[in-house]
mmCIF file of all heavy atoms in Angstrom:
data_model
loop_
_atom_site.group_PDB
_atom_site.id
_atom_site.type_symbol
_atom_site.label_atom_id
_atom_site.label_comp_id
_atom_site.label_asym_id
_atom_site.label_seq_id
_atom_site.Cartn_x
_atom_site.Cartn_y
_atom_site.Cartn_z
ATOM 1 N N LEU C 72 -12.796 -16.752 3.608
ATOM 2 C CA LEU C 72 -12.039 -15.982 4.587
ATOM 3 C C LEU C 72 -10.626 -16.543 4.663
ATOM 4 O O LEU C 72 -10.431 -17.724 4.953
ATOM 5 C CB LEU C 72 -12.693 -16.067 5.971
ATOM 6 C CG LEU C 72 -14.154 -15.642 6.107
ATOM 7 C CD1 LEU C 72 -14.597 -15.750 7.563
ATOM 8 C CD2 LEU C 72 -14.351 -14.220 5.599
ATOM 9 N N ILE C 73 -9.632 -15.700 4.412
ATOM 10 C CA ILE C 73 -8.237 -16.113 4.501
ATOM 11 C C ILE C 73 -7.718 -15.677 5.866
ATOM 12 O O ILE C 73 -7.562 -14.485 6.131
ATOM 13 C CB ILE C 73 -7.380 -15.477 3.390
ATOM 14 C CG1 ILE C 73 -8.003 -15.714 2.014
ATOM 15 C CG2 ILE C 73 -5.950 -16.023 3.454
ATOM 16 C CD1 ILE C 73 -8.109 -17.142 1.613
ATOM 17 N N ALA C 74 -7.476 -16.659 6.750
ATOM 18 C CA ALA C 74 -7.057 -16.347 8.114
ATOM 19 C C ALA C 74 -5.767 -17.058 8.489
ATOM 20 O O ALA C 74 -5.469 -17.247 9.664
ATOM 21 C CB ALA C 74 -8.169 -16.701 9.099
ATOM 22 N N LEU C 75 -4.982 -17.455 7.490
ATOM 23 C CA LEU C 75 -3.659 -18.017 7.745
ATOM 24 C C LEU C 75 -2.714 -16.931 8.235
ATOM 25 O O LEU C 75 -2.940 -15.734 7.994
ATOM 26 C CB LEU C 75 -3.062 -18.590 6.454
ATOM 27 C CG LEU C 75 -3.748 -19.767 5.777
ATOM 28 C CD1 LEU C 75 -3.107 -19.985 4.411
ATOM 29 C CD2 LEU C 75 -3.643 -21.019 6.629
ATOM 30 N N LYS C 76 -1.644 -17.329 8.898
ATOM 31 C CA LYS C 76 -0.536 -16.404 9.097
ATOM 32 C C LYS C 76 0.036 -16.051 7.727
ATOM 33 O O LYS C 76 0.085 -16.895 6.822
ATOM 34 C CB LYS C 76 0.562 -17.039 9.956
ATOM 35 C CG LYS C 76 0.154 -17.329 11.388
ATOM 36 C CD LYS C 76 0.059 -16.057 12.198
ATOM 37 C CE LYS C 76 -0.226 -16.362 13.665
ATOM 38 N NZ LYS C 76 -0.322 -15.131 14.477
ATOM 39 N N THR C 77 0.480 -14.821 7.543
ATOM 40 C CA THR C 77 1.015 -14.419 6.239
ATOM 41 C C THR C 77 2.261 -15.214 5.865
ATOM 42 O O THR C 77 2.597 -15.318 4.685
ATOM 43 C CB THR C 77 1.349 -12.920 6.221
ATOM 44 O OG1 THR C 77 2.246 -12.613 7.291
ATOM 45 C CG2 THR C 77 0.090 -12.080 6.354
ATOM 46 N N THR C 78 2.941 -15.798 6.853
ATOM 47 C CA THR C 78 4.100 -16.638 6.563
ATOM 48 C C THR C 78 3.701 -17.896 5.796
ATOM 49 O O THR C 78 4.560 -18.580 5.228
ATOM 50 C CB THR C 78 4.802 -17.050 7.863
ATOM 51 O OG1 THR C 78 3.851 -17.660 8.754
ATOM 52 C CG2 THR C 78 5.423 -15.842 8.551
ATOM 53 N N GLN C 79 2.413 -18.217 5.776
ATOM 54 C CA GLN C 79 1.910 -19.404 5.085
ATOM 55 C C GLN C 79 1.263 -19.087 3.741
ATOM 56 O O GLN C 79 0.717 -19.986 3.091
ATOM 57 C CB GLN C 79 0.887 -20.123 5.978
ATOM 58 C CG GLN C 79 1.452 -20.637 7.278
ATOM 59 C CD GLN C 79 2.487 -21.729 7.050
ATOM 60 O OE1 GLN C 79 2.211 -22.730 6.398
ATOM 61 N NE2 GLN C 79 3.682 -21.537 7.578
ATOM 62 N N ASN C 80 1.349 -17.841 3.309
ATOM 63 C CA ASN C 80 0.646 -17.468 2.078
ATOM 64 C C ASN C 80 1.176 -18.175 0.833
ATOM 65 O O ASN C 80 0.457 -18.294 -0.161
ATOM 66 C CB ASN C 80 0.699 -15.955 1.871
ATOM 67 C CG ASN C 80 -0.403 -15.241 2.640
ATOM 68 O OD1 ASN C 80 -1.126 -15.854 3.420
ATOM 69 N ND2 ASN C 80 -0.531 -13.950 2.431
ATOM 70 N N TYR C 81 2.407 -18.655 0.886
ATOM 71 C CA TYR C 81 2.931 -19.391 -0.258
ATOM 72 C C TYR C 81 2.140 -20.681 -0.505
ATOM 73 O O TYR C 81 2.187 -21.245 -1.596
ATOM 74 C CB TYR C 81 4.419 -19.712 -0.053
ATOM 75 C CG TYR C 81 4.695 -20.729 1.031
ATOM 76 C CD1 TYR C 81 4.838 -22.075 0.727
ATOM 77 C CD2 TYR C 81 4.815 -20.333 2.363
ATOM 78 C CE1 TYR C 81 5.080 -23.014 1.717
ATOM 79 C CE2 TYR C 81 5.060 -21.257 3.356
ATOM 80 C CZ TYR C 81 5.189 -22.598 3.031
ATOM 81 O OH TYR C 81 5.433 -23.513 4.025
ATOM 82 N N ARG C 82 1.383 -21.130 0.495
ATOM 83 C CA ARG C 82 0.583 -22.350 0.360
ATOM 84 C C ARG C 82 -0.796 -22.091 -0.249
ATOM 85 O O ARG C 82 -1.517 -23.041 -0.572
ATOM 86 C CB ARG C 82 0.411 -23.008 1.744
ATOM 87 C CG ARG C 82 1.706 -23.375 2.433
ATOM 88 C CD ARG C 82 1.448 -23.896 3.841
ATOM 89 N NE ARG C 82 0.587 -25.069 3.806
ATOM 90 C CZ ARG C 82 -0.227 -25.415 4.804
ATOM 91 N NH1 ARG C 82 -0.311 -24.659 5.894
ATOM 92 N NH2 ARG C 82 -0.975 -26.505 4.711
ATOM 93 N N LEU C 83 -1.167 -20.830 -0.409
ATOM 94 C CA LEU C 83 -2.538 -20.524 -0.835
ATOM 95 C C LEU C 83 -2.880 -21.108 -2.202
ATOM 96 O O LEU C 83 -4.020 -21.505 -2.444
ATOM 97 C CB LEU C 83 -2.767 -19.015 -0.841
ATOM 98 C CG LEU C 83 -3.044 -18.385 0.526
ATOM 99 C CD1 LEU C 83 -3.097 -16.871 0.406
ATOM 100 C CD2 LEU C 83 -4.351 -18.917 1.117
ATOM 101 N N LYS C 84 -1.905 -21.150 -3.103
ATOM 102 C CA LYS C 84 -2.209 -21.697 -4.436
ATOM 103 C C LYS C 84 -2.647 -23.152 -4.354
ATOM 104 O O LYS C 84 -3.348 -23.661 -5.247
ATOM 105 C CB LYS C 84 -1.003 -21.550 -5.363
ATOM 106 C CG LYS C 84 0.267 -22.246 -4.896
ATOM 107 C CD LYS C 84 1.404 -21.966 -5.868
ATOM 108 C CE LYS C 84 2.700 -22.642 -5.424
ATOM 109 N NZ LYS C 84 3.233 -22.087 -4.158
ATOM 110 N N ASP C 85 -2.259 -23.840 -3.272
ATOM 111 C CA ASP C 85 -2.683 -25.231 -3.071
ATOM 112 C C ASP C 85 -3.877 -25.340 -2.136
ATOM 113 O O ASP C 85 -4.645 -26.307 -2.222
ATOM 114 C CB ASP C 85 -1.527 -26.054 -2.503
ATOM 115 C CG ASP C 85 -0.317 -26.074 -3.415
ATOM 116 O OD1 ASP C 85 -0.509 -26.222 -4.637
ATOM 117 O OD2 ASP C 85 0.812 -25.925 -2.916
ATOM 118 N N LEU C 86 -4.037 -24.374 -1.228
ATOM 119 C CA LEU C 86 -5.086 -24.463 -0.221
ATOM 120 C C LEU C 86 -6.426 -23.898 -0.663
ATOM 121 O O LEU C 86 -7.472 -24.310 -0.160
ATOM 122 C CB LEU C 86 -4.657 -23.744 1.064
ATOM 123 C CG LEU C 86 -3.523 -24.390 1.865
ATOM 124 C CD1 LEU C 86 -3.211 -23.552 3.091
ATOM 125 C CD2 LEU C 86 -3.884 -25.816 2.270
ATOM 126 N N LEU C 87 -6.402 -22.943 -1.582
ATOM 127 C CA LEU C 87 -7.674 -22.384 -2.032
ATOM 128 C C LEU C 87 -8.434 -23.436 -2.821
ATOM 129 O O LEU C 87 -7.867 -24.110 -3.679
ATOM 130 C CB LEU C 87 -7.441 -21.151 -2.905
ATOM 131 C CG LEU C 87 -6.959 -19.895 -2.181
ATOM 132 C CD1 LEU C 87 -6.635 -18.805 -3.184
ATOM 133 C CD2 LEU C 87 -7.992 -19.400 -1.185
ATOM 134 N N PRO C 88 -9.717 -23.611 -2.535
ATOM 135 C CA PRO C 88 -10.503 -24.589 -3.299
ATOM 136 C C PRO C 88 -10.431 -24.279 -4.793
ATOM 137 O O PRO C 88 -10.315 -23.121 -5.195
ATOM 138 C CB PRO C 88 -11.927 -24.387 -2.751
ATOM 139 C CG PRO C 88 -11.737 -23.770 -1.404
ATOM 140 C CD PRO C 88 -10.506 -22.923 -1.514
ATOM 141 N N PRO C 89 -10.495 -25.315 -5.648
ATOM 142 C CA PRO C 89 -10.300 -25.108 -7.091
ATOM 143 C C PRO C 89 -11.238 -24.076 -7.707
ATOM 144 O O PRO C 89 -10.861 -23.360 -8.627
ATOM 145 C CB PRO C 89 -10.577 -26.506 -7.680
ATOM 146 C CG PRO C 89 -10.320 -27.449 -6.562
ATOM 147 C CD PRO C 89 -10.705 -26.724 -5.300
ATOM 148 N N TRP C 90 -12.471 -23.987 -7.197
ATOM 149 C CA TRP C 90 -13.458 -23.098 -7.800
ATOM 150 C C TRP C 90 -13.171 -21.621 -7.560
ATOM 151 O O TRP C 90 -13.722 -20.769 -8.218
ATOM 152 C CB TRP C 90 -14.849 -23.417 -7.251
ATOM 153 C CG TRP C 90 -14.878 -23.496 -5.758
ATOM 154 C CD1 TRP C 90 -14.769 -24.626 -5.005
ATOM 155 C CD2 TRP C 90 -14.982 -22.419 -4.836
ATOM 156 N NE1 TRP C 90 -14.806 -24.313 -3.663
ATOM 157 C CE2 TRP C 90 -14.937 -22.966 -3.537
ATOM 158 C CE3 TRP C 90 -15.116 -21.031 -4.976
ATOM 159 C CZ2 TRP C 90 -15.006 -22.184 -2.391
ATOM 160 C CZ3 TRP C 90 -15.189 -20.256 -3.827
ATOM 161 C CH2 TRP C 90 -15.132 -20.839 -2.559
ATOM 162 N N VAL C 91 -12.294 -21.300 -6.589
ATOM 163 C CA VAL C 91 -12.150 -19.899 -6.221
ATOM 164 C C VAL C 91 -11.484 -19.072 -7.316
ATOM 165 O O VAL C 91 -11.612 -17.863 -7.347
ATOM 166 C CB VAL C 91 -11.389 -19.766 -4.883
ATOM 167 C CG1 VAL C 91 -9.888 -19.835 -5.094
ATOM 168 C CG2 VAL C 91 -11.745 -18.455 -4.193
ATOM 169 N N ALA C 92 -10.790 -19.733 -8.242
ATOM 170 C CA ALA C 92 -10.187 -18.988 -9.350
ATOM 171 C C ALA C 92 -11.242 -18.449 -10.303
ATOM 172 O O ALA C 92 -10.988 -17.532 -11.060
ATOM 173 C CB ALA C 92 -9.206 -19.878 -10.106
ATOM 174 N N ASP C 93 -12.433 -19.031 -10.284
ATOM 175 C CA ASP C 93 -13.463 -18.650 -11.248
ATOM 176 C C ASP C 93 -14.626 -17.889 -10.633
ATOM 177 O O ASP C 93 -15.359 -17.199 -11.327
ATOM 178 C CB ASP C 93 -14.007 -19.891 -11.949
ATOM 179 C CG ASP C 93 -12.921 -20.620 -12.712
ATOM 180 O OD1 ASP C 93 -12.202 -19.958 -13.467
ATOM 181 O OD2 ASP C 93 -12.797 -21.829 -12.523
ATOM 182 N N GLN C 94 -14.831 -18.054 -9.335
ATOM 183 C CA GLN C 94 -15.970 -17.381 -8.716
ATOM 184 C C GLN C 94 -15.695 -17.233 -7.227
ATOM 185 O O GLN C 94 -14.788 -17.813 -6.682
ATOM 186 C CB GLN C 94 -17.263 -18.168 -8.927
ATOM 187 C CG GLN C 94 -17.227 -19.572 -8.354
ATOM 188 C CD GLN C 94 -18.453 -20.389 -8.736
ATOM 189 O OE1 GLN C 94 -19.130 -20.077 -9.697
ATOM 190 N NE2 GLN C 94 -18.741 -21.415 -7.970
ATOM 191 N N GLY C 95 -16.504 -16.410 -6.587
ATOM 192 C CA GLY C 95 -16.348 -16.232 -5.152
ATOM 193 C C GLY C 95 -15.584 -14.974 -4.793
ATOM 194 O O GLY C 95 -14.901 -14.355 -5.611
ATOM 195 N N ILE C 96 -15.709 -14.594 -3.533
ATOM 196 C CA ILE C 96 -15.092 -13.391 -2.985
ATOM 197 C C ILE C 96 -14.027 -13.822 -1.992
ATOM 198 O O ILE C 96 -14.255 -14.704 -1.164
ATOM 199 C CB ILE C 96 -16.148 -12.535 -2.260
ATOM 200 C CG1 ILE C 96 -17.238 -12.100 -3.239
ATOM 201 C CG2 ILE C 96 -15.524 -11.334 -1.570
ATOM 202 C CD1 ILE C 96 -18.531 -11.694 -2.561
ATOM 203 N N LEU C 97 -12.851 -13.234 -2.065
ATOM 204 C CA LEU C 97 -11.794 -13.478 -1.099
ATOM 205 C C LEU C 97 -11.759 -12.326 -0.103
ATOM 206 O O LEU C 97 -11.652 -11.155 -0.493
ATOM 207 C CB LEU C 97 -10.435 -13.586 -1.786
ATOM 208 C CG LEU C 97 -10.188 -14.785 -2.693
ATOM 209 C CD1 LEU C 97 -8.784 -14.717 -3.274
ATOM 210 C CD2 LEU C 97 -10.371 -16.085 -1.935
ATOM 211 N N LEU C 98 -11.855 -12.648 1.183
ATOM 212 C CA LEU C 98 -11.742 -11.645 2.242
ATOM 213 C C LEU C 98 -10.596 -12.059 3.140
ATOM 214 O O LEU C 98 -10.684 -13.061 3.856
ATOM 215 C CB LEU C 98 -13.045 -11.549 3.035
ATOM 216 C CG LEU C 98 -13.010 -10.728 4.341
ATOM 217 C CD1 LEU C 98 -12.565 -9.292 4.076
ATOM 218 C CD2 LEU C 98 -14.384 -10.750 5.020
ATOM 219 N N THR C 99 -9.496 -11.326 3.112
ATOM 220 C CA THR C 99 -8.361 -11.653 3.955
ATOM 221 C C THR C 99 -8.508 -10.987 5.314
ATOM 222 O O THR C 99 -8.831 -9.797 5.406
ATOM 223 C CB THR C 99 -7.026 -11.258 3.303
ATOM 224 O OG1 THR C 99 -5.976 -11.502 4.250
ATOM 225 C CG2 THR C 99 -6.997 -9.798 2.887
ATOM 226 N N LEU C 100 -8.259 -11.775 6.361
ATOM 227 C CA LEU C 100 -8.288 -11.256 7.732
ATOM 228 C C LEU C 100 -6.866 -11.237 8.299
ATOM 229 O O LEU C 100 -6.660 -11.450 9.486
ATOM 230 C CB LEU C 100 -9.189 -12.130 8.611
ATOM 231 C CG LEU C 100 -10.641 -12.275 8.151
ATOM 232 C CD1 LEU C 100 -11.424 -13.152 9.127
ATOM 233 C CD2 LEU C 100 -11.312 -10.913 8.012
ATOM 234 N N GLN C 101 -5.895 -10.966 7.435
ATOM 235 C CA GLN C 101 -4.490 -11.081 7.816
ATOM 236 C C GLN C 101 -3.883 -9.732 8.198
ATOM 237 O O GLN C 101 -4.390 -8.671 7.839
ATOM 238 C CB GLN C 101 -3.691 -11.693 6.664
ATOM 239 C CG GLN C 101 -4.134 -13.109 6.317
ATOM 240 C CD GLN C 101 -3.406 -13.647 5.096
ATOM 241 O OE1 GLN C 101 -3.414 -13.044 4.032
ATOM 242 N NE2 GLN C 101 -2.763 -14.800 5.263
ATOM 243 N N ASN C 102 -2.767 -9.811 8.909
ATOM 244 C CA ASN C 102 -2.023 -8.625 9.313
ATOM 245 C C ASN C 102 -1.151 -8.111 8.174
ATOM 246 O O ASN C 102 -0.818 -8.842 7.239
ATOM 247 C CB ASN C 102 -1.108 -8.948 10.505
ATOM 248 C CG ASN C 102 -1.837 -8.887 11.829
ATOM 249 O OD1 ASN C 102 -2.772 -8.104 12.002
ATOM 250 N ND2 ASN C 102 -1.432 -9.719 12.775
ATOM 251 N N GLY C 103 -0.770 -6.848 8.285
ATOM 252 C CA GLY C 103 0.274 -6.308 7.431
ATOM 253 C C GLY C 103 -0.214 -5.645 6.162
ATOM 254 O O GLY C 103 -1.409 -5.411 5.954
#
Side-chain angles (χ1 to χ4, degrees):
L72 304 182
I73 308 298
L75 296 170
K76 294 287 185 180
T77 55
T78 54
Q79 298 295 305
N80 276 7
Y81 69 94
R82 301 175 59 208
L83 281 174
K84 59 183 180 294
D85 300 317
L86 291 179
L87 288 174
W90 49 265
V91 83
D93 299 311
Q94 60 187 21
I96 299 160
L97 292 180
L98 169 58
T99 175
L100 302 181
Q101 297 175 305
N102 277 328

